[in-house]
Amino acid sequence: GQQLNQSPQSMFIQEGEDVSMNCTSSSIFNTWLWYKQDPGEGPVLLIALYKAGELTSNGRLTAQFGITRKDSFLNISASIPSDVGIYFCAGRRGTSYGKLTFGQGTILTVHP
Amino acid sequence: DAGVIQSPRHEVTEMGQEVTLRCKPISGHDYLFWYRQTMMRGLELLIYFNNNVPIDDSGMPEDRFSAKMPNASFSTLKIQPSEPRDSAVYFCASSLYGTRRDNEQFFGPGTRLTVL
């Protein structure tokens, strides 16, 4: 099925550094979502984006809906140890209400 | 407010046994989704329901898998007979249609299934 290409696959950073990750697709998406998954838990919604070009923040997290509607970006500023986890992008195409396509995830490790 | 509730959290069974996973969506939500997560394949949508009716089951791997939603507050995913390759974490998620945020799915904590 339709795949989202999420990169990087993993990141090892020092506490205090900024983090950037992105998702790209060959198809247009109408909605982009970013989730975080902690070990042993389900994904938790961080940010949802509904319009091309939209820039939305949630604390130290900022996400953008690419103007081509084929990509999205997530930035984390001043990382802290509790940012550790797996970050997933997800997208919905116009004709597929309910069906989200997920990226493969970015594993983030933050060294104190 | 209670989130999505899944049970059991962990299930260990032997090949050939029947396994039933349970989910209670967020009260008032009208969409319910079942996902499977593995290292190799990531998060896969298995089936989803709208107002208790299955809408798309194209992700169900094979006939050994079945899902039901007898009412708005309960759904089951059954595997019969189970096989070792079914070992994965199974998530249930729910959402509410008709709002600006109707694409936002809320996930339960998952059931980690191990089939020996």
Side-chain angles (χ1 to χ4, degrees):
Chain A
Q2 173 65 42
Q3 293 293 322
L4 293 179
N5 298 312
Q6 187 172 347
S7 65
Q9 290 188 343
S10 61
M11 303 183 73
F12 298 83
I13 62 170
Q14 291 292 128
E15 182 177 1
E17 290 183 2
D18 296 343
V19 173
S20 292
M21 60 190 77
N22 68 84
C23 261
T24 61
S25 172
S26 58
S27 299
I28 289 174
F29 283 80
N30 289 341
T31 302
W32 286 94
L33 304 154
W34 284 92
Y35 286 85
K36 182 193 177 198
Q37 185 176 21
D38 291 328
E41 300 295 331
V44 173
L45 182 64
L46 298 174
I47 294 178
L49 303 159
Y50 291 94
K51 291 169 55 176
E54 181 179 354
L55 186 71
T56 298
S57 294
N58 178 5
R60 293 177 297 104
L61 279 61
T62 301
Q64 184 163 23
F65 193 139
I67 58 174
T68 66
R69 297 167 66 190
K70 295 182 179 180
D71 54 13
S72 180
F73 307 87
L74 176 69
N75 295 314
I76 305 173
S77 63
S79 58
I80 59 178
S82 62
D83 290 335
V84 165
I86 305 176
Y87 291 79
F88 291 98
C89 64
R92 183 183 76 84
R93 299 179 67 185
T95 59
S96 61
Y97 178 76
K99 295 187 74 167
L100 292 180
T101 301
F102 281 83
Q104 305 96 319
T106 295
I107 302 172
L108 178 63
T109 303
V110 180
H111 294 288
Chain B
D1 289 342
V4 175
I5 298 172
Q6 291 187 246
S7 65
R9 291 295 309 272
H10 302 273
E11 177 80 34
V12 180
T13 190
E14 292 187 346
M15 183 174 62
Q17 297 297 306
E18 177 179 295
V19 175
T20 300
L21 312 181
R22 297 172 176 79
C23 175
K24 176 178 170 57
I26 292 173
S27 178
H29 280 193
D30 53 358
Y31 276 81
L32 183 140
F33 307 85
W34 282 100
Y35 290 88
R36 179 172 66 177
Q37 185 179 41
T38 61
M39 289 293 292
M40 292 298 295
R41 300 175 68 89
L43 266 167
E44 302 175 276
L45 177 64
L46 300 177
I47 185 172
Y48 71 98
F49 296 82
N50 174 224
N51 290 326
N52 313 337
V53 176
I55 301 301
D56 185 342
D57 65 354
S58 59
M60 295 286 262
E62 47 196 277
D63 291 345
R64 297 184 298 106
F65 285 69
S66 63
K68 295 182 179 179
M69 192 165 185
N71 58 63
S73 59
F74 183 66
S75 177
T76 59
L77 178 67
K78 184 176 295 186
I79 308 172
Q80 167 63 16
S82 58
E83 297 183 1
R85 60 192 167 122
D86 301 331
S87 297
V89 182
Y90 291 81
F91 288 105
C92 177
S94 69
S95 68
L96 175 62
Y97 182 76
T99 69
R100 180 178 183 272
R101 314 185 77 81
D102 59 11
N103 291 288
E104 298 173 17
Q105 296 181 16
F106 296 87
F107 283 76
T111 295
R112 180 173 295 276
L113 174 64
T114 303
V115 183
L116 303 174

